[in-house]
Amino acid sequence: MTHSEESNERKNKRTELPPAPPAVDPVVYRGVLGELVSAADPTTEADPVGVLVSLMANVSALIGAGPHVQISNARHPLIVWPLLFGRTGAGRKGDATDTADRLTLAAVPEAAHLFVSGLSSGEGLIERIRDPRDENDPGGTEDKRLRILEAEFGSVMARAKREGNTIGAVAREGWSGRPLAVMNRLALRASSSHIAIIGHITPQEFRLRMAATEMAGGTFNRFLPVYVERSKRIPRPEGIAPELLSELGARLREAIERASRHRKVGLDDDTDASRLWDDELYEELGCADDEDGAWTEFARRALPYCRRIAALYAVLDDRSHVDVGDLQAAAGLVRYSIGTAKYVLDRTLCNPRVDTLRRALDGAGQTGLSRAEVSGLFGRNLAKQVLDELLHEVMATGEYVEFRHSGVRGRPSIRYRRATP
């Protein structure tokens, strides 16, 4: 083969890219939570799915331990533990949780003391919700609800590796709403628990800190992995207007009060919802049990998470029975979580610009994006050569195509979209 032929073969060969960032199914924005996320979206650069799962964690903590689903012989509280993965700065992880917190505390300002930060040890966690030792004990509480934000989740992973640290064991019990205790000189004990945890971390740091033995231990697969990116550019975001915030808070407060009155949330036999679960979702979301890969350990809780989230949608709509829409929305979010796990745990070094472009093209549908719109994804700051190389790299995969679009006026323009299967 001549040098020229080798060169042509390299040009024609399709480029292999790392897995694309997952795409969110809009079905997840259901009910009052979806309405609040949509209302807040124009006011923040945060990824809507990050706001959604942060809001879920907050609400799941506030409704208390009454609402639950029964799976075999285990009682599952409706708590959700999202772990937000995003690049430093560009991921807008903090913005997502800040937006959810502002909405939640507008609804239930008296619950502000339940929102705490920092997850240093199992003993520290138990101390926040421990039982009073006697009637003269100034500490302790009968309210076992707690929402913990760990904005530097990498530090939690580092501490969990230290010999004698109890955070992993205590967290595993907390995810199930069980009593918490450690055998030390203080004999700390919480007779029950209802704790929601939100974690923030970059994909790179997670991969660096994670070892296969830690993942298999089961602590981190209690979390629902969610990849987030900046959704838009707003030079001077001012947040939710006070009048709108008051209105949204009132709607959320009403939903939380209704939800907290429910107890067991059922999936009735011989309904469309039960058939969807039995015939489709049970096998689909249980796929991690039959697969071999790092991501599968992160997906071991996909089935119970789907049931929990579906029930949370139901009780916030003041229902004690899950319907098809609840299951479809919950399954959409769990699928996104599984996609996040696959993306985050892929060891290939990812190009953030390629990730951003692919995500935008996947969401643009058949209309696609123009070159100017692609440039706008990066603040119109990319040089022509850099933009050319970026588009070439993505088009070379064969997953995306360039096409001509005839506008209403003027000559046809070149656009880009995902290839039709």
Side-chain angles (χ1 to χ4, degrees), residues 102-356:
R102 192 170 182 220
L103 288 165
T104 307
L105 294 178
V108 194
E110 66 272 22
H113 66 287
L114 302 177
F115 285 54
V116 300
S117 299
L119 192 60
S120 59
S121 68
E123 292 85 350
L125 193 158
I126 297 173
E127 177 63 34
R128 294 302 303 244
I129 59 168
R130 69 173 176 82
D131 300 336
R133 296 186 181 92
D134 54 48
E135 62 273 12
N136 299 317
D137 184 359
T141 179
E142 298 298 330
D143 189 348
K144 307 303 181 182
R145 298 174 301 162
L146 199 64
R147 199 300 310 266
I148 302 172
L149 169 63
E150 183 48 78
E152 300 293 339
F153 195 77
S155 64
V156 174
M157 298 177 73
R159 287 192 291 268
K161 294 166 68 173
R162 298 172 188 163
E163 185 175 355
N165 191 291
T166 57
I167 187 60
V170 171
R172 288 192 292 273
E173 296 299 298
W175 187 80
S176 300
R178 294 172 180 160
L180 306 180
V182 290
M183 297 302 294
N184 60 15
R185 63 183 180 85
L186 296 176
L188 293 173
R189 174 177 170 79
S191 54
S192 63
S193 61
H194 192 75
I195 301 164
I197 303 175
I198 301 174
H200 295 172
I201 195 168
T202 67
Q204 182 180 19
E205 183 177 12
F206 187 86
R207 288 193 294 264
L208 288 173
R209 292 190 180 275
M210 179 55 65
T213 53
E214 292 172 327
M215 181 69 85
T219 300
F220 300 123
N221 66 17
R222 263 70 174 183
F223 286 86
L224 189 75
V226 175
Y227 182 76
V228 294
E229 276 281 6
R230 176 168 52 197
S231 62
K232 66 187 77 66
R233 289 180 179 271
I234 306 176
R236 292 182 290 111
E238 297 183 358
I240 307 168
E243 299 81 5
L244 177 59
L245 183 64
S246 178
E247 177 188 335
L248 297 175
R251 290 162 63 187
L252 183 58
R253 184 183 186 91
E254 182 181 352
I256 291 172
E257 290 175 347
R258 292 197 307 257
S260 64
R261 293 194 287 266
H262 289 269
R263 293 298 177 259
K264 182 180 178 180
V265 184
L267 182 58
D268 291 346
D269 293 336
D270 198 27
T271 62
D272 290 341
S274 65
R275 285 187 284 272
L276 174 63
W277 179 260
D278 295 345
D279 299 342
E280 299 179 31
L281 297 181
Y282 180 75
E283 292 299 327
E284 177 194 345
L285 301 181
C287 65
D289 295 333
D290 303 318
E291 298 282 349
D292 184 22
W295 68 269
T296 62
E297 290 298 337
F298 228 150
R300 298 293 182 197
R301 299 292 189 283
L303 288 169
Y305 251 131
C306 189
R307 291 286 304 276
R308 287 186 181 200
I309 294 169
L312 185 59
Y313 282 123
V315 296
L316 287 171
D317 194 36
D318 203 17
R319 288 181 285 107
S320 291
H321 300 280
V322 168
D323 67 18
V324 169
D326 301 325
L327 274 179
Q328 289 172 334
L333 191 55
V334 172
R335 290 187 192 105
Y336 185 78
S337 174
I338 292 173
T340 294
K342 292 179 178 179
Y343 176 66
V344 167
L345 293 175
D346 185 271
R347 296 289 174 173
T348 309
L349 188 62
C350 301
N351 180 338
R353 288 174 178 167
V354 170
D355 294 343
T356 298

